[in-house]
Amino acid sequence: MTDIHTPGSKRTLGTDVVIVGGGIVGASAALALRQKGIAVVLLERDVCGSRSSGINYGGVRRQGRLAAQLPLSQRAHHIWARLPELIGIDGEYVRSGHLKLGVCAADMASLENYAQMAARYDLPLEILDQQQLRRRFPWISQRAIGGSYCAEDGHANPRLVSPAFAHAAGRLGAQIFDQTPVSRIEHDGQRFIVDCPQLQVRAPLLINCAGAWGHRIAAWFDEQVPLQVSCPNMTVTEPLPLFMDASIGIEGGSIYARQVSRGNCVIGGGQGYTTSDTTARPGREAVLELMKVASGLFPALASAHLIRFWSGIEGNIPDRNPVVGPSHTTPGLFHGFGFCGAGFQIGPAVGEVLAELIDDGHTPTPIDAFAINRFSTASSTLMSTTIVSGDE
Amino acid sequence: MSSAASLTTLPPVIVGAGPAGIRAAETLVRAGLRPVLIDETAKGGGQIYRQQPDGFSRPAKALYGFEASRAEALHASWRALLDQVDYRPHTLVWNSEGGELDLLQVREQHYDGQPWQQLILATGATDRILPFQGWTLPGVYTLGAAQIALKYQATAIGSRVVFAGTGPLLYLIAYQYAKAGVEVAAVLDSAPFSAKLQATPAMLKGPAVFAKGLWYLGWLKARGIRIEYDAHLLAASGDQRLTAVRWRQQGQEQQLDCDGLGFGYALRSETQLADILDCRFQFDELNRAWLPVRDAMGRSSRDGVYLAGDGAGIMGADAAEWAGELAALALLQDSGRAVDATRVSQLQQQLARTRQFRQALEDAFPFPEQWVHEVADDVVLCRCENVTVGEARRLISELSLQDMNRLKAHSRVGMGRCQGRMCGLAAAELLAATSGQSVADAGRLRAQAPVKPLPYAIAPTVQQWSPALPVTAVAEEADHD
């Protein structure tokens, strides 16, 4: 890494790879690149891991993902198993099991179809009927008529895990700049020139991991992504006696819930609203609705209190898949953004994939479905699909 | 009247029925309006003039001492207002969104919404707390809580009680307890006596307050009540509950048996609602805290939001009454109504004088800046989340934390039931000292709804699955991590 500081001008750095965005994807990519001995500068507008990567629900889940994501998700599953050796903390990661509930026959049919599909990706799911559900999970009300259980899925604390990826990358020599927004990126034919208020970074390779703002960087290189922001609502209860021994999802969306070892139940659902380009608040109606749905499903909440609400800004893409892979307009540019509220679990695997693309030019993990040029041929039906909720 | 003002059809809303809120309401009523007055408690008066529950009958003089006539006057104003305002007792404002306040009816535990166009925040204050060993032991209370016990519940926090910390309330409450027949074993003031002597000339600018302070002190001394200066709390000890308190004075450790301890270091403003309403904040040196900015009339940075009383900066009960009236006059003025300029300038002068006097008080009862250097690692900093001082110090150093919200994210400080309202100030002192910054630069915890814990009981009874959140299969499933 070369530091070509000239007095009177802003600091200029040269490096192999510059990453824009210090969320779990960008930080994982920085870590994976450093493991390969490649020089990295990571630029984060705020503080690494403080946006959606750090304030999401914390689900570490394969069940429920689109088929195209399952290879990536399986790869991530193995990374999560090595979390302490990788980032130095356990991040409160537990394989509690992930239980997706159905509340009507159509839900159960859908869960069964999904289980058959997932089996082809070596993801074993156990379909539970109402009796089995009552026996295994007596804390769930009769509103649920069955479920699909994935024993090795679980949850973790995103507040701790996501910044820890950045810290781990920093310990391996990645140069990390917090509070460093990127104002402009140019390509001079050989290198990217990335301008920030106090810093200019020059590198032949650039990774765009700018989350819900990633499409703006893509647009600077003439690549259009129909990304729309969403603001999932998150709530947390005061600590309660432990009862919720699985992370809960509901077929079709609605709420999602988990209980941490301290006893707090983290429950998400519904949408908030943006208060600026970078900030969001929970929505009153949706929070009240969430409380209604959650207390209907989990009677133990009846006398509990919510102590905190929050929201964040997510990048949603109509086909519910992220953009991962090389640019189709600009050699040396790679993307990893737009995870549609489901990037926390797969983030570390995406980081490894991006590092492989840079180091080897290819990755063994199938990522064709995430190509950025898929939108140039997108049909109007694809564009009209809406995302109901997410949680990051 | 401007055209904008004529479009104002909603009644003004006042949050808080303490001295500021009641005087604001009175001013608006006098102008022919019928404001909504939202009160978290059962009866108006706020904390300092908190009323007894029905059926309790201690006389005002016994309850409020020198302040009896002011308390009675305020209560009389409140009673006179009851049929002229839309009074909402037992009501917590827990959030605001899109021109509507979210309310919790605390007793019935149900939800209510209150639309507003003009809002006066008179949200008051709580004790400023600095933790010490054993501060979570049963028998240890804040000064404010000890006072509520006496005034509202007609009970004492113990039979042999020590009061510690600093600030005018320290002596007032010792007096009130002693007057009520409770044994006050000692008053431990962390400020040195020299601070009081040095502040005396400036204190004379508020002669009435100063005289009262002297009187309390003299009264306590005359009854042989032990008063110690430069006395720094070290520990509250006891197995199941408090049995003794230990402090350091000029290098010497001292101990005293007691079964009740009230402590606090003056007050801190309750600012979450102003924060949720997006009012601009700045650091205030006098209060050693981030506060919502306001102009000389009490206007916040946000149109239609006015700030009054201790919730916007600690000035005391008298100043709160004046600021409440002034904020209401600002509201009326902004609605295109004529207001009495003489009265405005009189109120502003009184407030300016109070602020000068407030500086003298701060000099007489200085914030104990050495606390942050002396507090032991094993002291609990955040009791909701059980985070110790040592754990916070370690994380601040290891992760080079600079900002309160990052400290919260990494340590859980301020993440529990109180949302940092109790521990936030001490955590900011710790962050500033450990990271080598000023308290101002350490920043402030962003307020998040709900302002106080929100019971699930307000969720409407679920009769059937609601349509708002999809709970049956939909064509396109949305998932989450």
Side-chain angles (χ1 to χ4, degrees):
Chain A
M1 227 166 291
T2 48
D3 196 341
I4 23 184
H5 180 73
T6 346
S9 67
K10 66 182 166 190
R11 188 178 177 198
T12 306
L13 274 179
T15 187
D16 295 334
V17 183
V18 58
I19 300 174
V20 180
I24 194 167
V25 177
S28 297
L31 179 61
L33 285 165
R34 286 307 303 145
Q35 286 168 334
K36 294 171 183 292
I38 297 168
V40 183
V41 170
L42 174 61
L43 305 174
E44 165 56 41
R45 178 187 57 198
D46 305 303
V47 181
C48 286
S50 65
R51 291 293 175 163
S52 295
S53 291
I55 59 168
N56 62 73
Y57 166 72
V60 182
R61 164 193 60 83
R62 296 164 294 172
Q63 175 168 226
R65 289 181 186 277
L66 295 177
Q69 289 184 28
L70 283 178
L72 195 56
S73 190
Q74 290 288 34
R75 180 172 180 167
H77 187 63
H78 297 294
I79 301 175
W80 280 94
R82 299 187 292 116
L83 204 61
E85 65 177 272
L86 202 61
I87 63 172
I89 58 168
D90 69 7
E92 298 175 13
Y93 172 51
V94 285
R95 290 190 168 174
S96 60
H98 178 259
L99 176 63
K100 192 172 250 273
L101 299 173
V103 298
C104 64
D107 288 348
M108 293 312 297
S110 173
L111 289 174
E112 276 164 30
N113 283 339
Y114 186 86
Q116 283 171 21
M117 181 278 287
R120 297 199 294 275
Y121 293 88
D122 295 324
L123 180 64
L125 301 177
E126 190 184 347
I127 299 293
L128 307 175
D129 65 22
Q130 191 156 25
Q131 275 191 336
Q132 292 165 321
L133 188 70
R134 293 291 305 157
R135 207 162 44 239
R136 292 268 293 275
F137 304 101
W139 43 273
I140 298 171
S141 81
Q142 309 249 14
R143 294 181 183 282
I145 64 160
S148 169
Y149 184 66
C150 184
E152 289 203 344
D153 281 354
H155 53 93
N157 187 334
R159 269 188 300 111
L160 304 178
V161 169
S162 293
F165 268 97
H167 291 137
R171 283 195 296 272
L172 281 191
Q175 278 197 287
I176 295 175
F177 293 90
D178 282 333
Q179 256 120 37
T180 305
V182 169
S183 47
R184 192 173 61 152
I185 306 177
E186 287 179 352
H187 194 256
D188 69 1
Q190 292 179 316
R191 294 171 308 177
F192 293 92
I193 300 164
V194 183
D195 270 311
C196 309
Q198 312 291 331
L199 181 73
Q200 186 182 81
V201 187
R202 298 172 185 173
L205 298 161
L206 173 76
I207 309 182
N208 167 22
C209 300
W213 302 271
H215 63 307
R216 296 193 192 161
I217 291 177
W220 290 349
F221 297 96
D222 296 323
E223 294 186 281
Q224 306 304 322
V225 176
L227 182 147
Q228 290 195 319
V229 300
S230 74
C231 318
N233 278 325
M234 299 303 310
T235 70
V236 64
T237 68
E238 62 195 330
L240 304 172
L242 294 176
F243 69 97
M244 196 179 277
D245 55 1
S247 182
I248 296 292
I250 297 177
E251 178 64 10
S254 185
I255 65 163
Y256 31 101
R258 67 188 181 101
Q259 188 173 25
V260 305
S261 60
R262 238 191 97 65
N264 310 76
C265 291
V266 182
I267 306 176
Q271 289 288 309
Y273 57 99
T274 56
T275 48
S276 76
D277 185 42
T278 55
T279 53
R281 289 251 173 93
R284 161 204 302 135
E285 302 288 328
V287 166
L288 291 170
E289 192 63 29
L290 175 156
M291 293 173 86
K292 183 170 154 182
V293 174
S295 53
L297 265 181
F298 314 121
L301 295 177
S303 56
H305 288 74
L306 286 182
I307 59 172
R308 203 154 24 89
F309 313 151
W310 70 97
S311 185
I313 295 190
E314 275 297 333
N316 276 342
I317 292 173
D319 65 4
R320 297 172 52 221
N321 274 321
V323 173
V324 178
S327 160
H328 280 253
T329 61
T330 312
L333 172 62
F334 297 85
H335 299 290
F337 67 90
F339 286 86
C340 308
F344 186 54
Q345 191 265 352
I346 60 176
V350 175
E352 285 192 356
V353 162
L354 289 166
E356 286 165 352
L357 291 174
I358 278 177
D359 194 33
D360 309 334
H362 62 87
T363 172
T365 305
I367 56 166
D368 289 351
F370 317 134
I372 194 164
N373 68 337
R374 70 187 193 266
F375 307 106
S376 49
T377 54
S379 69
S380 55
T381 53
L382 182 69
M383 305 293 287
S384 66
T385 310
T386 54
I387 299 296
V388 183
S389 81
D391 79 326
E392 287 183 353
Chain B
M1 191 183 286
S2 74
S3 60
S6 64
L7 292 174
T8 302
T9 51
L10 294 170
V13 178
I14 301 165
V15 180
I22 288 174
R23 291 295 172 227
E26 199 175 47
T27 308
L28 297 177
V29 165
R30 213 180 293 130
L33 299 174
R34 185 182 171 83
V36 178
L37 181 58
I38 300 175
D39 188 355
E40 212 175 318
T41 63
K43 296 176 176 183
Q47 296 300 347
I48 194 76
Y49 303 133
R50 184 183 266 263
Q51 299 191 56
Q52 297 177 102
D54 292 337
F56 282 57
S57 59
R58 282 187 78 203
K61 192 70 195 166
L63 279 169
Y64 309 107
F66 280 122
E67 318 303 332
S69 59
R70 286 182 180 277
E72 284 182 313
L74 193 76
H75 297 157
S77 297
W78 169 76
R79 277 192 301 274
L81 282 171
L82 285 177
D83 56 3
Q84 301 179 77
V85 302
D86 183 356
Y87 181 63
R88 313 272 184 86
H90 299 294
T91 303
L92 167 72
V93 182
W94 54 271
N95 185 33
S96 174
E97 179 183 327
E100 190 165 326
L101 298 175
D102 293 314
L103 311 181
L104 165 68
Q105 306 294 338
V106 177
R107 291 217 292 198
E108 299 83 9
Q109 303 248 301
H110 70 74
Y111 173 84
D112 204 357
Q114 176 61 51
W116 63 273
Q117 285 172 314
Q118 294 168 306
L119 185 59
I120 297 176
L121 299 182
T123 47
T126 64
D127 296 89
R128 191 158 69 172
I129 285 175
L130 293 173
F132 56 97
Q133 191 100 56
W135 70 289
T136 58
L137 204 61
V140 181
Y141 295 77
T142 63
L143 292 174
Q147 209 185 32
I148 289 171
L150 192 66
K151 278 190 294 205
Y152 189 67
Q153 287 144 343
T155 185
I157 60 170
S159 56
R160 180 176 157 81
V161 181
V162 171
F163 294 105
T166 197
L169 189 58
L170 181 64
Y171 294 93
L172 173 63
I173 193 166
Y175 162 78
Q176 288 173 329
Y177 262 66
K179 194 96 184 355
V182 180
E183 182 190 353
V184 177
V187 176
L188 309 175
D189 190 338
S190 66
F193 190 66
S194 59
K196 291 179 179 50
L197 285 180
Q198 278 162 21
T200 300
M203 294 270 265
L204 293 171
K205 287 178 182 155
V209 180
F210 184 56
K212 275 184 279 188
L214 281 181
W215 196 86
Y216 292 137
L217 192 60
W219 192 94
L220 292 165
K221 285 196 161 168
R223 274 146 194 85
I225 290 171
R226 184 173 173 184
I227 296 176
E228 302 289 349
Y229 300 101
D230 199 17
H232 303 280
L233 268 181
L234 287 177
S237 50
D239 279 342
Q240 297 296 313
R241 56 162 296 127
L242 176 74
T243 55
V245 60
R246 199 152 48 83
W247 71 96
R248 187 190 300 119
Q249 198 174 21
Q250 285 155 355
Q252 300 288 313
E253 287 195 17
Q254 308 212 38
Q255 182 163 323
L256 194 61
D257 290 346
C258 63
D259 61 2
L261 170 64
F263 80 105
Y265 299 82
L267 302 176
R268 56 158 285 281
S269 301
E270 284 277 39
T271 58
Q272 306 104 292
L273 201 51
D275 199 355
I276 286 171
L277 285 158
D278 294 323
C279 294
R280 192 163 62 79
F281 277 60
Q282 72 183 20
F283 191 78
D284 182 271
E285 293 290 345
L286 181 60
N287 284 272
R288 209 180 170 88
W290 285 83
L291 295 175
V293 295
R294 52 177 164 167
D295 73 5
M297 293 288 286
R299 294 181 185 91
S300 78
S301 65
R302 189 171 163 189
D303 280 352
V305 179
Y306 305 83
L307 305 163
D310 282 349
I314 307 302
M315 296 269 272
D318 294 352
E321 292 191 40
W322 303 325
E325 184 178 346
L326 196 56
L329 291 173
L331 183 153
L332 291 168
Q333 198 173 56
D334 295 347
S335 308
R337 292 165 185 257
V339 299
D340 179 352
T342 313
R343 181 63 184 155
V344 166
S345 113
Q346 190 187 5
L347 289 166
Q348 286 177 332
Q349 279 168 23
Q350 283 168 318
L351 286 168
R353 272 200 299 275
T354 305
R355 192 167 167 89
Q356 279 179 350
F357 180 68
R358 184 57 186 87
Q359 180 63 58
L361 270 184
E362 200 57 46
D363 294 341
F365 300 102
F367 183 84
E369 295 193 28
Q370 83 289 348
W371 170 84
V372 72
H373 305 293
E374 292 174 354
V375 63
D377 276 347
D378 59 352
V379 168
V380 172
L381 173 65
C382 164
R383 66 176 171 181
C384 298
E385 294 293 314
N386 205 27
V387 182
T388 63
V389 166
E391 175 75 353
R393 279 184 178 137
R394 182 182 66 77
L395 287 165
I396 294 164
S397 300
E398 278 180 12
L399 302 173
S400 304
L401 302 177
Q402 303 273 321
D403 167 76
M404 278 298 287
N405 294 296
R406 295 316 292 159
L407 176 60
K408 174 179 169 179
H410 284 282
S411 71
R412 293 183 187 273
V413 164
M415 213 172 242
R417 285 186 183 88
C418 93
Q419 293 271 293
R421 291 185 301 120
M422 300 300 127
C423 62
L425 180 137
E429 295 287 335
L430 201 67
L431 174 58
T434 312
S435 62
Q437 306 174 88
S438 67
V439 185
D441 288 341
R444 67 196 173 93
L445 290 172
R446 274 187 299 271
Q448 288 175 298
V451 166
K452 287 183 182 171
L454 186 65
Y456 254 98
I458 73 161
T461 311
V462 180
Q463 298 298 331
Q464 54 188 21
W465 286 114
S466 155
L469 287 179
V471 284
T472 53
V474 292
E476 197 63 38
E477 174 194 325
D479 251 306
H480 51 268
D481 267 355

